Amino acid sequence: MPRPALPTIKSRPEHADIRARLPLTCCDWPLEKGSADSSLRNLTSPSANLQLDDDWHWPRRPVIFISDPHADPQAFEASLVASGGVKLKDTAGSGHFTLTKAGRKAEFIIGGDCLDKGPSNLQMLRSLKRLYDTGASVTLLAGNHDLRLMMGLRSMQQKRHTGNAHLFARMGKKVIPLFREVLDAEPGRNWLKGVPDADTCRKRLLPGEDWFERFPDHARGILTEAGIARELKKMRSKADSFERHCEAAGMDIRTVYAVARHCQKLFLKPRGEFYWFFKRMQLVRKRGSFLFLHAGLDDAMGALIARRGLKTVNKRFRKALKGDLFSFYYSSLANTFRTKYRAADLPLTEAGVEAVQSSGIRALVHGHINRTRGQRLALQQGLLHLEADITLDRHSRRQEGLRGVGCGATIIHPKRHILGISNDYPFAKVFRPETFNAAR
């Protein structure tokens, strides 16, 4: 069977660096044990509960999936170019690009975690908005980093209680670059006008000692004892270090309070520049036999999808964002953008997988778990997961020992194949279900 063609990237000076970093040829998705992608060694086992049959349905048009850009607009725009969906008018990251013919025919699904890490949250959001403004078909999925900002800002608007007093500090140090960017964007603004004293700001933003005493009783029945202990440990570290990290970025607690209030206007008010960001966000998207989401599923979500359908799931997500934030953040809905299938996460068992498969879903496509050798296929209780967080942002890449800016995209094509493109793997990986059937 001939291998699919790689996306066409226009021969333009703006694309030269991107073209030079991308693979030139395709290979079948590696299967052999000990390969660069050895996660597939169990996929061909007869005991694997995979649905690799003729019942797979493919999207009607190509789906371009890009996830976890983490405030790196250059990596985001380079990935759009790598998909063949856009052409640059200027350097990547400038927000100056237009759709190609292929981009007009495709659907772009952005897998969440657009915020945090850097180098520029604001330019990343503007680049994403530019994608909408081109007339592209865009679906934006909720990521844990994105929603932590929303919950932190919303918690400031609510009467403080045990369930929400920790949500601002829970954003942690990763939100500080965004606050610094917002501060620097208006150097002439009198930021401290009307801002209360430092102790008052501290009490409004950070959990006090009494919160650590009350939280176990409040969370019991929602979290496991192990989950409660994990949350207390995490919050102790974040609360104790938050001001120190802010001061390292040149902001005292009063300035942080002022900037956070301004972020409420930017993100939560209809006239705010980034109000569209949370407004357009969805939890899940299904195309053909593929379910797109940020992280993964558990049994309760599998049952809900099978029983009520994805429209109901997204409606419940939108409603939950306006309700009790504590109940939402530790629920199955939020597990969808948080899980890494750890012991502390809500479980996915064979029962959940059977429910998901009964609704016609054969594979999950998600981000959240960064990979350093391109996209990976993996199994969770026999359910196929396509892990497509290919470490785009330069902050994460430095931590992982990777060079430069990341670049790549995952394309699910109507011609019954998946193409995984990454500048960190020498070939574009090609997956076809029939290939795996033959191997089995």
Side-chain angles (χ1 to χ4, degrees):
M1 183 180 295
R3 288 175 179 158
L6 288 167
T8 300
I9 300 176
K10 300 293 183 181
S11 296
R12 303 166 65 98
E14 298 87 352
H15 299 163
D17 176 66
I18 298 170
R19 289 166 61 94
R21 293 186 287 128
L22 291 173
L24 299 176
T25 57
C26 300
C27 72
D28 289 335
W29 213 291
L31 287 171
E32 70 275 10
K33 185 175 181 178
S35 71
D37 189 346
S38 61
S39 63
L40 297 187
R41 62 182 179 269
N42 295 322
L43 291 183
T44 56
S45 167
S47 63
N49 184 28
L50 283 172
Q51 298 286 333
L52 295 175
D53 50 35
D54 293 335
D55 203 25
W56 276 61
H57 296 285
W58 294 78
R60 294 181 180 178
R61 57 176 171 167
V63 175
I64 296 169
F65 185 77
I66 298 172
S67 191
D68 297 77
H70 280 300
D72 197 323
Q74 185 177 350
F76 177 65
E77 292 183 16
S79 297
L80 292 175
V81 171
S83 76
V86 312
K87 54 186 176 183
L88 300 180
K89 293 182 177 180
D90 205 334
T91 56
S94 66
H96 300 146
F97 58 84
T98 57
L99 289 180
T100 62
K101 183 178 179 180
R104 289 191 292 273
K105 293 180 178 180
E107 177 180 6
F108 296 86
I109 298 183
I110 311 304
D113 276 5
C114 294
L115 301 179
D116 291 349
K117 300 185 180 181
S120 178
N121 290 269
L122 302 186
Q123 186 54 46
M124 173 63 220
L125 292 170
R126 289 167 184 146
S127 289
L128 178 56
K129 183 60 163 58
R130 172 60 192 163
L131 183 60
Y132 280 101
D133 292 343
T134 63
S137 173
V138 183
T139 296
L140 173 63
L141 299 178
N144 55 309
H145 285 258
D146 308 322
L147 288 179
R148 277 208 299 258
L149 173 68
M150 188 214 70
M151 291 188 293
L153 297 179
R154 277 203 58 210
S155 69
M156 294 176 64
Q157 299 174 327
Q158 299 175 339
K159 183 178 179 181
R160 281 173 66 86
H161 57 81
T162 308
N164 67 16
H166 65 305
L167 293 179
F168 188 89
R170 207 185 192 291
M171 292 188 292
K173 66 180 180 181
K174 291 176 183 176
V175 77
I176 293 170
L178 168 61
F179 285 177
R180 184 73 234 189
E181 281 185 73
V182 172
L183 178 67
D184 291 342
E186 297 190 40
R189 185 186 185 93
N190 184 2
W191 285 97
L192 297 181
K193 182 179 179 181
V195 174
D197 62 77
D199 284 342
T200 301
C201 291
R202 193 173 292 113
K203 289 177 182 177
R204 291 182 182 180
L205 298 181
L206 305 178
E209 283 300 316
D210 57 337
W211 178 88
F212 290 91
E213 298 173 2
R214 297 194 309 267
F215 183 77
D217 286 339
H218 186 86
R220 200 160 282 122
I222 298 175
L223 295 178
T224 64
E225 290 301 319
I228 292 172
R230 182 172 176 270
E231 191 70 7
L232 287 171
K233 181 179 179 180
K234 180 178 291 188
M235 285 311 308
R236 174 62 71 186
S237 174
K238 290 190 174 188
D240 288 350
S241 64
F242 188 79
E243 279 192 79
R244 185 171 69 253
H245 291 303
C246 291
E247 289 167 359
M251 297 182 293
D252 61 17
I253 195 68
R254 295 183 69 221
T255 303
V256 169
Y257 182 84
V259 172
R261 289 202 307 186
H262 188 59
C263 284
Q264 289 176 328
K265 297 178 182 178
L266 290 174
F267 286 92
L268 303 182
K269 300 295 183 181
R271 293 185 180 180
E273 181 182 358
F274 305 115
Y275 176 70
W276 58 270
F277 181 60
F278 294 120
K279 188 74 174 177
R280 297 192 181 195
M281 206 169 271
Q282 298 185 42
L283 189 64
V284 289
R285 185 70 144 180
K286 184 174 181 283
R287 288 291 180 259
S289 296
F290 300 87
L291 183 67
F292 298 86
L293 68 176
H294 182 64
L297 295 176
D298 58 58
D299 285 355
M301 283 299 296
L304 180 62
I305 289 170
R307 187 174 68 252
R308 302 296 299 275
L310 295 171
K311 186 177 288 188
T312 295
V313 171
N314 279 321
K315 282 184 178 179
R316 290 194 180 184
F317 168 66
R318 300 302 314 172
K319 183 177 181 180
L321 292 180
K322 300 176 182 178
D324 177 58
L325 296 177
F326 177 85
S327 298
F328 164 66
Y329 194 64
Y330 300 101
S331 69
S332 284
L333 285 170
N335 192 62
T336 303
F337 58 78
R338 294 178 61 201
T339 186
K340 290 185 178 178
Y341 300 106
R342 301 159 294 199
D345 295 323
L346 297 175
L348 177 68
T349 69
E350 290 184 8
V353 171
E354 288 177 6
V356 170
Q357 292 176 337
S358 73
S359 64
I361 294 167
R362 297 292 178 259
L364 306 189
V365 185
H366 65 94
H368 192 53
I369 303 173
N370 67 298
R371 296 299 172 194
T372 60
R373 295 280 289 170
Q375 296 85 344
R376 190 178 84 139
L377 287 170
L379 290 175
Q380 295 293 342
Q381 297 295 336
L383 182 62
L384 192 63
H385 285 57
L386 200 169
E387 299 173 349
D389 174 1
I390 53 175
T391 317
L392 296 180
D393 72 279
R394 64 198 74 181
H395 175 84
S396 296
R397 291 177 68 80
R398 282 194 298 268
Q399 290 187 325
E400 297 286 355
L402 301 173
R403 294 181 178 179
V405 178
C407 178
T410 305
I411 304 172
I412 293 86
H413 204 280
K415 293 183 178 179
R416 297 183 61 84
H417 67 260
I418 301 171
L419 196 61
I421 303 168
S422 168
N423 65 324
D424 295 317
Y425 198 80
F427 304 99
K429 303 175 184 179
V430 180
F431 169 80
R432 297 185 183 92
E434 54 266 30
T435 302
F436 282 76
N437 277 330
R440 287 158 67 91

